[in-house]
Amino acid sequence: MKTIIFIGTNKSGSSREATKAAEKLGYFTVLFTSNERQFEQRTEYEEIHKMTILDTTNIEQMKSEITKLQELGFDIKLIVSFVDPYVHVAALLCEQFCQNLTSTRAIEIMEDKEQTRTFLLNKSYSPQFTVLGPAEQLTGKVTFPLIIKSPKSTGSKDVLFASDNKELHKHLTTLRNKYPTEPIITEEYLKGEQYLVEVIVHNHQPQIIAVIRQDITKGKRFIITGYQLFSTVPPKLLESLNTLCQSLVETFELKTGAFHIELRLTNSGWKLIEINPRISGGAMNKMIEAAFGFNLVEQTLKLYLGDEPDFTPKHNDYVYTKHLIVHHKGILEKVTGKQRALKCPGIYDVYVKPKKGTILIPPLSMGHRYAYIIAQGATLKEAVARANRAASEIRFHMRRL
């Protein structure tokens, strides 16, 4: 039986859509998860044919389970992950048990912010940075503002902004209490519009799948609350991004794979914030489907399986995705307006995450975005207006804490 093993998945978003795509492609799907709640909610994962609870940080335990599956007659075609931090682990296991077309070493570097910064040290798109050891302090003249982050963290929860020495020392203390044995990275604060670019590499050639300009809300953390996906990318912008992506592919020696990059367009050109060896999570797969009519995670699975993927757009729409947050802490009593939002013109999808009784808080990470609306339009302006109109229908009814 042709089988794909997934290491980890979220309940929704790109990683979950990948498991559904695998079933659609005719594969027996196996999920290795350390999330016991997923096992408790087993009936909600209909497309996953076998779910195994184990320690997903224990590679030997996973090897043992894979061997058992092979002994039972399962033909393992692919071991893959679409979630942090298991992309590298999946590639290592793939090397041992099936055909691995991805670049394992490149994935390992991309998963670690310190390695990535060091690896790309002399590139024009690499910002100024300093790596501090566990007890080390910044020396010499410090130019503010600064960004302080942990190389092991994911998302925005451990990316902190310091405007002066007081905030710098406060954030260093916070991160060192949380990661006492890990280094800390300080980086120059980059001014300019922020972009996210989804890229597929096939036969050493990068193909830009989507270019998205991001709306950032700055509270206690930098939270992305809007994604503006271009139907047609301005030629000069696309040319400069193609050049940058070609440099990344050559530097990392990528033959086959998927990655996304976050960048700032500064007065001195593109500056790389981070690179991740997978499609973005959350609504990204649906956004690309809304814009171009193909399922990116499905085509990525084909790529990894050695089949010929098809990234040809079936249509071209501008897309805007608006994420909803709350501005005070409270217990959710109900959410109203979802159906009204869905009926608004140009709405592709509306997703509301929390259930009644959940404690909602102002965002400290991307996980504290509680709903999104995906809207299509003939222009970006139209897509933004449609998303905002639909968002005005949704209301979180909360009892303040």
Side-chain angles (χ1 to χ4, degrees):
M1 194 179 303
K2 295 190 303 179
T3 301
I4 296 178
I5 298 173
F6 291 88
I7 303 178
T9 186
N10 295 315
K11 193 170 184 179
S12 64
S14 302
S15 61
R16 180 69 188 277
E17 286 155 37
T19 62
K20 293 177 180 178
E23 186 198 36
K24 179 185 171 186
L25 290 170
Y27 288 85
F28 187 88
T29 56
V30 176
L31 174 67
F32 288 174
T33 179
S34 56
N35 186 342
E36 292 185 7
R37 186 177 177 86
Q38 289 182 331
F39 201 79
E40 292 167 3
Q41 298 173 339
R42 179 71 184 89
T43 56
E44 297 180 30
Y45 294 81
E46 294 179 355
E47 80 285 357
I48 294 171
H49 303 126
K50 180 176 174 55
M51 185 183 290
T52 302
I53 292 284
L54 44 66
D55 180 0
T56 45
T57 65
N58 187 332
I59 195 165
E60 294 304 320
Q61 188 179 359
M62 288 191 285
K63 285 180 181 179
S64 176
E65 288 297 326
I66 295 166
T67 300
K68 288 177 186 176
L69 288 170
Q70 288 180 322
E71 289 170 350
L72 290 170
F74 291 91
D75 182 9
I76 312 297
K77 294 297 186 183
L78 180 65
I79 303 167
V80 69
S81 183
F82 288 80
V83 296
D84 292 322
Y86 304 124
V87 183
H88 175 238
V89 172
L92 283 173
L93 290 170
C94 216
E95 283 185 353
Q96 180 170 342
F97 292 98
C98 48
Q99 182 185 31
N100 178 34
L101 299 177
T102 63
S103 305
T104 306
R105 175 58 181 152
I107 292 170
E108 181 183 25
I109 295 168
M110 290 180 192
E111 281 191 342
D112 187 292
K113 292 180 176 64
E114 181 186 357
Q115 285 195 63
T116 298
R117 283 285 181 249
T118 304
F119 195 69
L120 300 174
L121 178 63
N122 297 315
K123 300 297 182 182
S124 62
Y125 44 80
S126 182
Q128 296 177 13
F129 71 97
T130 302
V131 179
L132 299 174
E136 193 177 355
Q137 297 296 325
L138 272 178
T139 57
K141 184 180 178 182
V142 180
T143 303
F144 291 99
L146 279 177
I147 297 295
I148 300 97
K149 62 174 72 170
S150 164
K152 301 299 182 185
S153 66
T154 59
S156 60
K157 58 182 177 295
D158 293 318
V159 178
L160 306 171
F161 176 87
S163 58
D164 54 33
N165 266 311
K166 183 180 178 181
E167 287 188 343
L168 170 62
H169 292 301
K170 175 186 172 184
H171 296 330
L172 285 174
T173 300
T174 297
L175 290 179
R176 282 174 172 156
N177 286 339
K178 192 170 183 179
Y179 306 102
T181 63
E182 299 293 340
I184 301 295
I185 298 176
T186 68
E187 296 176 354
E188 62 174 317
Y189 176 71
L190 302 168
K191 293 182 180 179
E193 291 185 327
Q194 185 159 312
Y195 288 78
L196 186 152
V197 183
E198 292 287 346
V199 185
I200 290 290
V201 183
H202 190 26
N203 295 327
H204 301 284
Q205 294 301 312
Q207 179 178 347
I208 292 176
I209 301 297
V211 176
I212 300 107
R213 190 164 56 208
Q214 297 176 323
D215 298 337
I216 299 172
T217 299
K218 185 181 178 297
K220 289 186 176 181
R221 300 289 188 277
F222 294 96
I223 304 298
I224 299 160
T225 50
Y227 295 82
Q228 308 171 34
L229 195 158
F230 290 84
S231 165
T232 303
V233 184
K236 285 188 177 180
L237 196 71
L238 184 60
E239 183 182 356
S240 63
L241 286 171
N242 275 323
T243 300
L244 190 151
C245 289
Q246 186 64 51
S247 172
L248 289 169
V249 167
E250 291 172 1
T251 304
F252 282 102
E253 298 181 348
L254 290 169
K255 180 184 178 183
T256 301
F259 65 87
H260 71 268
I261 49 178
E262 289 189 73
L263 313 112
R264 283 273 172 109
L265 186 53
T266 71
N267 290 334
S268 55
W270 291 111
K271 295 294 181 181
L272 183 70
I273 297 171
E274 66 178 46
I275 181 168
N276 291 287
R278 55 175 175 77
I279 181 178
S280 300
M284 185 55 65
N285 192 60
K286 283 190 176 179
M287 287 168 57
I288 290 170
E289 201 164 30
F292 305 122
F294 62 81
N295 185 316
L296 180 56
V297 292
E298 179 181 333
Q299 298 306 320
T300 303
L301 286 174
K302 286 184 179 180
L303 180 73
Y304 290 163
L305 288 159
D307 299 331
E308 194 65 30
D310 184 4
F311 302 107
T312 307
K314 295 175 174 56
H315 58 78
N316 286 76
D317 285 314
Y318 285 91
V319 165
Y320 184 68
T321 297
K322 183 179 181 68
H323 284 262
L324 304 186
I325 58 177
V326 299
H327 300 286
H328 63 266
K329 186 176 182 179
I331 297 175
L332 183 64
E333 294 181 336
K334 63 179 178 178
V335 181
T336 57
K338 179 180 178 180
Q339 294 306 314
R340 291 193 299 274
L342 276 166
K343 291 176 183 176
C344 290
I347 299 305
Y348 183 82
D349 190 34
V350 177
Y351 174 72
V352 177
K353 179 181 176 182
K355 295 181 179 180
K356 180 181 177 180
T358 304
I359 296 176
L360 308 187
I361 63 171
L364 295 174
S365 73
M366 298 292 197
H368 298 142
R369 303 178 300 181
Y370 295 118
Y372 66 70
I373 294 111
I374 301 177
Q376 298 163 300
T379 64
L380 196 52
K381 185 177 179 180
E382 182 178 55
V384 171
R386 286 174 166 180
N388 286 331
R389 166 72 185 85
S392 69
E393 297 288 352
I394 295 178
R395 184 180 171 197
F396 294 98
H397 299 262
M398 297 161 57
R399 177 162 52 85
R400 277 187 181 252
L401 290 175

